[in-house]
Amino acid sequence: MEFRIAADELKKALHRAQGIVERKATMPILSNVLITAGKSGVTVTAFDLDIGIVSEHAAEVMKTGAVTVSARTLLDIVSFVPDAQVTVKKLANNYAEITSGAAHYKIVGMAPEEFPKLPREDASNLVKISGPTLLEMIKKTSYAISNDETRYILNGVFFEPREGGKVRMVATDGHRLSLVERELLGDFKLKAGVIIPRKGLMELKRLLDEAPEADCQLGFAENSALFKKPGLSMVMRLIDGQFPEYQRVIPKEGEKQLMVSRARLGDALKRIALLSADKSNAVKVSLSENLLRITANNPDLGEAKDDLEVAYRGGSMTVGFNARYIQDVLASMDTDEVAVELGDEHSPGVMHAPGDRSYTTVVMPMRV
Amino acid sequence: MTRAIIHLDMDAFYASVEQRDRPELKGKPVIVGGHPQRGVVLAASYEVRPFGVRSAMPMARAHKAAPKAIVVAPRFHAYVEASEAVFRIFESVTPMIEPLSLDEAFLDVTASLGLFGSAASIAASLRQRIAKEVGLPASAGIADVKFVAKIVSDLAKPNGQKEIPTGTSREFLAPLPIWRLWGVGPKTEEVLGRLGLKTIGDVAAREQHWLTKHLGAGGQHLWELSQGIDPREVVPDREAKSVGAQDTFDEDLLGEAALTPHIHSQALRVGRRLRRAGVRARVVQLVVKYDDFTSISRRVTLPAATDDGQLLYREAIGLLSRVDLGRRIRLTGVAGQELTSGEAQLGLFAADAPKKQEKLNSVLDQIATKFGNHAVVTADLKREQDSDDPRDGFYREEKRETAVKAEQQRTKTGLTVERDEE
């Protein structure tokens, strides 16, 4: 195998692989990329047994074949080559030779046959989707995914087709929940919702970020998802299990409704959370007529208070929240104003765009 | 940093409550005790002590020693209520309260000095308020370390207080007999006596290495105590490692049905105390002592920390299945451990029941504060109420056994004799 490729092109392929390959893989070969030179160009494959991507790149192929080498090492090398072009050549005993200008490397590889096979992708289910919309939906849910590995089911986003070509995506870590519903075009022919794992979703986000407007296709087979855009395909195993009944925990309509400036609320939280106790980010939110007061108090540091004018008429109340949870929501919204709905000090707070519940977030209070 | 520690101890607590509530008992020898044959003396009024009646003494013997003494059955709810009132008075000067039992506590008033004046004046005003508002006598010891404060409060009894100024603990301790030191029981006393150590001053005069040579690792600790050195701090429930309630039964119990009401009561008490301290427990422990005095403990880690007595109860009952129920049991105890401060994030998917329970608990706590702990109790406990056993849903009822044990220790170490003499 031997081919000549633009250094930037190879770098792009290896960047895509970085998120997938395992740093400390139990199987050493999972730290590698598989590079295959065919007649039409070169493909770079990364696979961690759950998520795999195949990236296609134009190259001048002198001799077809395959080689597998450490993804990290190859990326480091390509990042420092002196020339705009790189030549990759397979040597005996699975060594790979990298040449660029006068620079020359000979790096250890493994037998390409040992690289695990990606699941067969069934292209028949693929549906054309709107990249920017999917990107928006990921951004509005991914922050709420649980990091707790013992809550395996919550380590991903629930992807649920709704009526009228709409798709709902829901993420929760058990303390907060984020739901977004958008038209994603196409019929996914799913009987029920599926759970897309965090890692796959993050890779998907990176790939969409490269060029959101590109033609994108998404499809689901039995327990895997397939994503395709020009020059790239990605397949991932879905989380197997029952997503919790999220509708049950979304309050229909909060007792106390108010409207507040997104920027002002975000700033106030930032400055008051500085004095929250034990780095818990706990702040107290007190509501009275047209006034929202945010306070924090740390026995070792002192206390802080900030007042915001809000559009609110109703009874007064105080409730504690993790400021970061609210900040995450504010950062993921687009409107200048935010509609906030509260119950009592034990009830969830709900935030959404004014008059629009298609993106709804629920945050549980803290006991303060 | 020099600390100001007050040890407050109610005088003949149960007996004093009886004398307060039944004026005809005032000035009379009163014994509070359980079962006339099997029971032990729970408290003896000062009037009956010259006859040699002591706490924890078998009732039969007490009756022989003081046949004219008036024997009163215990009314635990009254003691618990009195204790609550006393602790509320403590709370008016500092949150740094370490309860030892129903009727005694350490208070660290170091941070309160600026606000309320000297430790001695704080102690005086506490005792005055207890006398006026609760109608009971209390004694106080003031020192810069815990164990000295405890010794001093004993010496000050009854109805007195005494302060050992900072830096004079050593001189104060020197003439006292060796058994005054914490951890010196009759056995150790005997060993020390053979070494020629009769007073605390004898220990203080010895070299540390000489003590460790003869007494092992404990020698070092003993020497420190003799110097008035005691790094132990006052640990309020809030910072405690564990919050528990346990009861020794009047008679040994057999079978789950007999035990569950007690465990329920204990769990509820622990829940209340946790809520009061603003902490939640991640671990539930059940302690069981069999009739042969061997004891076992079983524990379970909860998925989420709790301050709910009902949940603690369910977990404790689960633990009961890992206990040999074919044997007679003389004591059970429930404790919450691995405490975390109450600043907890609420969960979305927690079942609705705990949320309701939380609201219910907060209402029950309010009712208990206003109308007393008997105002509302759970149905299985209600049944028990008439027998006046300590199994109501109250809190701050610190281990009856601890109180009895403390009394035993005092008797053993002769502290009660001091009381009588004074």
Side-chain angles (χ1 to χ4, degrees):
Chain A
M1 182 211 74
E2 186 177 358
F3 64 89
R4 194 174 150 83
I5 189 171
D8 283 344
E9 199 63 22
L10 186 54
K11 210 154 82 180
K12 186 176 168 189
L14 293 166
H15 268 301
R16 284 174 172 174
Q18 279 310 305
I20 312 274
V21 294
E22 300 273 336
R23 291 279 160 77
K24 291 174 193 155
T26 39
M27 285 168 68
I29 203 158
L30 298 183
S31 302
N32 285 10
V33 284
L34 174 72
I35 303 173
T36 311
K39 287 199 182 85
S40 57
V42 166
T43 63
V44 176
T45 305
F47 187 40
D48 71 353
L49 301 180
D50 284 326
I51 306 165
I53 64 166
V54 181
S55 183
E56 295 163 20
H57 300 272
E60 183 192 332
V61 178
M62 279 78 90
K63 193 179 174 196
T64 59
V67 67
T68 169
V69 291
S70 156
R72 182 80 236 172
T73 310
L74 191 57
L75 176 60
D76 289 345
I77 290 171
V78 175
S79 302
F80 290 106
V81 290
D83 206 78
Q85 295 289 316
V86 177
T87 304
V88 180
K89 185 181 175 187
K90 186 178 176 182
L91 304 177
N93 294 325
N94 299 315
Y95 272 84
E97 182 189 67
I98 322 284
T99 316
S100 176
H104 184 91
Y105 300 84
K106 194 179 142 188
I107 57 173
V108 180
M110 295 172 91
E113 307 77 57
E114 283 175 28
F115 197 86
K117 294 272 174 298
L118 266 64
R120 275 258 151 258
E121 35 188 71
D122 180 2
S124 65
N125 286 332
L126 279 174
V127 173
K128 191 175 173 328
I129 54 149
S130 154
T133 305
L134 182 58
L135 190 58
E136 184 207 353
M137 294 178 81
I138 293 174
K139 283 178 180 166
K140 284 183 162 48
T141 50
S142 54
Y143 64 86
I145 299 174
S146 172
N147 287 315
D148 182 353
E149 281 177 18
T150 63
R151 307 184 82 173
Y152 175 69
I153 296 296
L154 302 185
N155 293 164
V157 163
F158 190 55
F159 183 97
E160 186 185 36
R162 309 287 292 182
E163 283 163 20
K166 286 189 175 167
V167 164
R168 189 177 269 187
M169 279 171 62
V170 186
T172 178
D173 61 5
H175 300 145
R176 50 167 164 183
L177 178 144
S178 161
L179 177 152
V180 60
E181 191 170 296
R182 293 285 181 264
E183 255 175 66
L184 209 50
L185 313 169
D187 176 8
F188 292 97
K189 299 195 178 75
L190 280 170
K191 282 188 214 82
V194 294
I195 307 171
I196 303 176
R198 170 211 301 282
K199 187 175 173 183
L201 205 72
M202 287 315 178
E203 288 312 310
L204 198 52
K205 176 167 172 271
R206 270 181 9 145
L207 295 173
L208 287 166
D209 261 331
E210 284 179 5
E213 301 293 345
D215 285 337
C216 297
Q217 290 176 292
L218 185 65
F220 297 91
E222 222 164 294
N223 62 351
S224 62
L226 177 63
F227 172 78
K228 259 184 185 306
K229 66 177 211 169
L232 182 127
S233 67
M234 169 170 157
V235 59
M236 66 175 113
R237 197 194 303 276
L238 298 170
I239 292 178
D240 190 17
Q242 188 73 44
F243 199 75
E245 281 179 58
Y246 65 87
Q247 299 95 331
R248 212 166 45 79
V249 300
I250 302 173
K252 290 285 166 287
E253 193 158 277
E255 250 171 75
K256 303 185 168 66
Q257 308 193 356
L258 59 138
M259 207 70 86
V260 58
S261 149
R262 185 165 68 99
R264 282 281 290 121
L265 180 59
D267 288 347
L269 288 168
K270 226 178 281 171
R271 61 175 79 98
I272 299 308
L274 296 173
L275 288 198
S276 69
D278 309 327
K279 294 179 182 157
S280 63
N281 281 308
V283 294
K284 245 189 241 183
V285 176
S286 305
L287 194 57
S288 52
E289 197 159 307
N290 292 331
L291 180 75
L292 184 72
R293 170 166 292 179
I294 300 173
T295 56
N297 133 29
N298 180 322
D300 299 324
L301 295 176
E303 49 191 53
K305 167 189 103 165
D306 196 4
D307 287 346
L308 277 84
E309 263 179 45
V310 292
Y312 173 69
R313 302 175 71 81
S316 49
M317 69 160 313
T318 297
V319 56
F321 281 112
N322 180 333
R324 191 171 57 81
Y325 288 173
I326 303 178
Q327 286 168 309
D328 284 345
V329 171
L330 297 177
S332 69
M333 293 182 77
D334 319 298
T335 52
D336 290 340
E337 296 278 303
V338 179
V340 182
E341 299 179 15
L342 298 171
D344 61 20
E345 75 267 31
H346 299 292
S347 308
V350 176
M351 283 183 282
H352 53 80
D356 176 11
R357 281 180 151 252
S358 65
Y359 174 41
T360 298
T361 61
V362 183
V363 178
M364 280 305 282
M366 286 182 90
R367 217 176 275 100
V368 289
Chain B
M1 178 183 174
T2 308
R3 309 216 70 91
I5 292 167
I6 303 176
H7 179 252
L8 268 143
D9 200 355
M10 305 300 290
D11 300 329
F13 184 51
Y14 297 173
S16 298
V17 173
E18 294 306 331
Q19 288 177 323
R20 176 196 69 179
D21 294 348
R22 292 169 60 183
E24 72 272 18
L25 298 179
K26 278 218 174 85
K28 300 263 169 61
V30 174
I31 294 173
V32 179
H35 199 280
Q37 270 83 51
R38 298 184 69 251
V40 294
V41 175
L42 296 169
S45 77
Y46 279 87
E47 294 81 2
V48 79
R49 295 194 185 193
F51 297 95
V53 177
R54 299 285 176 269
S55 291
M57 175 186 275
M59 282 299 285
R61 235 179 81 201
H63 183 70
K64 222 178 249 172
K68 286 194 178 152
I70 303 160
V71 177
V72 181
R75 295 179 304 135
F76 287 103
H77 69 89
Y79 312 146
V80 169
E81 253 151 50
S83 171
E84 290 263 312
V86 169
F87 275 85
R88 267 200 290 276
I89 292 171
F90 293 167
E91 280 160 11
S92 67
V93 296
T94 179
M96 294 293 291
I97 301 165
E98 179 178 340
L100 295 181
S101 66
L102 270 183
D103 61 340
E104 102 184 93
F106 283 115
L107 276 65
D108 184 336
V109 295
T110 315
S112 313
L113 298 176
L115 213 53
F116 299 113
S118 72
S121 66
I122 292 174
S125 97
L126 287 174
R127 290 179 45 245
Q128 212 174 356
R129 282 189 60 191
I130 294 169
K132 201 173 143 208
E133 294 168 28
V134 195
L136 294 172
S139 299
I142 304 138
D144 53 2
V145 294
K146 275 165 85 172
F147 88 96
V148 175
K150 193 169 158 74
I151 292 174
V152 175
S153 74
D154 268 317
L155 294 177
K157 275 176 177 298
N159 204 8
Q161 73 175 63
K162 203 167 170 168
E163 179 177 11
I164 305 304
T166 300
T168 63
S169 288
R170 209 191 131 148
E171 297 156 44
F172 160 73
L173 292 168
L176 296 178
I178 195 82
W179 47 254
R180 283 278 187 194
L181 292 180
W182 271 2
V184 177
K187 265 202 184 136
T188 317
E189 193 189 348
E190 202 191 311
V191 173
L192 294 171
R194 267 187 266 131
L195 290 169
L197 306 172
K198 304 276 187 212
T199 66
I200 298 175
D202 293 340
V203 177
R206 286 290 178 173
E207 298 277 335
Q208 288 177 63
H209 65 84
W210 185 88
L211 286 164
T212 38
K213 201 176 90 191
H214 288 85
L215 300 166
Q220 170 70 17
H221 180 58
L222 206 62
W223 181 83
E224 281 176 8
L225 290 181
S226 76
Q227 307 291 321
I229 301 169
D230 179 15
R232 283 170 292 196
E233 286 178 14
V234 173
V235 185
D237 273 350
R238 180 186 299 280
E239 291 159 27
K241 294 225 163 59
S242 162
V243 168
Q246 56 182 33
D247 299 300
T248 305
F249 311 128
D250 279 347
E251 47 187 285
D252 302 336
L253 300 177
L254 183 67
E256 185 172 345
L259 295 169
T260 46
H262 295 274
I263 293 172
H264 197 176
S265 154
Q266 288 154 3
L268 293 178
R269 275 179 266 161
V270 171
R272 287 248 186 121
R273 279 184 56 197
L274 290 170
R275 293 197 292 281
R276 247 200 168 188
V279 294
R280 317 184 128 227
R282 189 80 203 269
V283 168
V284 182
Q285 187 192 44
L286 176 73
V287 178
V288 166
K289 196 184 266 184
Y290 295 111
D291 55 356
D292 63 356
F293 286 83
T294 56
S295 69
I296 57 155
S297 67
R298 298 283 178 264
R299 45 189 272 145
V300 61
T301 301
L302 306 174
T306 186
D307 60 7
D308 174 28
Q310 295 290 1
L311 183 71
L312 295 172
Y313 170 58
R314 283 196 293 276
E315 295 295 336
I317 288 301
L319 292 170
L320 196 59
S321 66
R322 288 160 55 195
V323 166
D324 182 0
L325 291 170
R327 295 168 66 181
R328 291 195 165 272
I329 288 170
R330 58 176 275 117
L331 168 151
T332 63
V334 175
Q337 299 172 331
E338 288 186 24
L339 308 181
T340 58
S341 70
E343 211 166 35
Q345 172 67 50
L346 301 183
L348 269 170
F349 296 101
D352 294 335
K355 218 155 80 186
K356 276 187 198 154
Q357 192 64 43
E358 211 161 88
K359 287 183 183 171
L360 177 63
N361 283 340
S362 111
V363 171
L364 286 176
D365 287 350
Q366 286 169 34
I367 293 173
T369 310
K370 205 162 175 183
F371 301 106
N373 294 312
H374 271 260
V376 181
V377 296
T378 54
D380 65 328
L381 303 179
K382 184 75 187 162
R383 214 161 23 86
E384 305 290 333
Q385 198 182 330
D386 301 330
S387 67
D388 225 344
D389 277 331
R391 35 191 92 142
D392 333 86
F394 45 61
Y395 46 101
R396 195 65 84 175
E397 201 281 304
E398 266 287 346
K399 318 149 193 179
R400 207 172 105 207
E401 193 179 63
T402 314
V404 172
K405 235 198 278 173
E407 280 293 327
Q408 274 170 347
Q409 271 163 9
R410 268 200 284 272
T411 315
K412 232 184 270 164
T413 52
L415 291 181
T416 39
V417 177
E418 297 270 348
R419 281 180 184 171
D420 293 337
E421 282 163 5
E422 280 192 26

